[in-house]
Amino acid sequence: PGQLGNDSFGVCWNTKDNCRFDYLTGVEVESAEDLPPTFTVVEVPPGRFAVFKHAGHASMIPQTLDTIWSKWVPDAGIPIGKGPCFERYT
């Protein structure tokens, strides 16, 4: 109930040691109030985000992520905030 748009999202959140994290797929909703109690809600705080487009086959996403974290982030020289990392699927 209350879904906004048609995009879906993957969210990496609740990070732990050794590169472990929780992963959740979902959609944007207007409000979490009417969702069933069994649903999990992850709020993405407002902020400044870097956006990367992956144009290759889905099997190549790990290589894209590796390039982002091992090349782009260090080269950008900007602090990376705390919070969930998310993917948008159009």
Side-chain angles (χ1 to χ4, degrees), residues 13-62:
W13 63 295
N14 198 20
T15 57
K16 303 168 183 73
D17 293 335
N18 299 324
C19 295
R20 293 179 299 151
F21 55 87
D22 291 329
Y23 184 82
L24 180 73
T25 59
V27 297
E28 182 179 10
V29 293
E30 186 173 353
S31 169
E33 290 179 11
D34 296 327
L35 296 177
T38 56
F39 278 33
T40 299
V41 176
V42 175
E43 291 188 34
V44 178
R48 182 176 175 207
F49 293 89
V51 178
F52 303 91
K53 182 177 181 179
H54 175 79
H57 188 272
S59 66
M60 300 300 289
I61 289 175

Side-chain angles (χ1 to χ4, degrees), residues 38-88:
T38 56
F39 278 33
T40 299
V41 176
V42 175
E43 291 188 34
V44 178
R48 182 176 175 207
F49 293 89
V51 178
F52 303 91
K53 182 177 181 179
H54 175 79
H57 188 272
S59 66
M60 300 300 289
I61 289 175
Q63 287 83 350
T64 298
L65 291 172
D66 182 61
T67 299
I68 291 166
W69 290 107
S70 66
K71 175 97 176 101
W72 186 87
V73 168
D75 289 353
I78 57 174
I80 303 300
K82 300 283 184 192
C85 178
F86 62 97
E87 306 155 346
R88 183 183 76 170

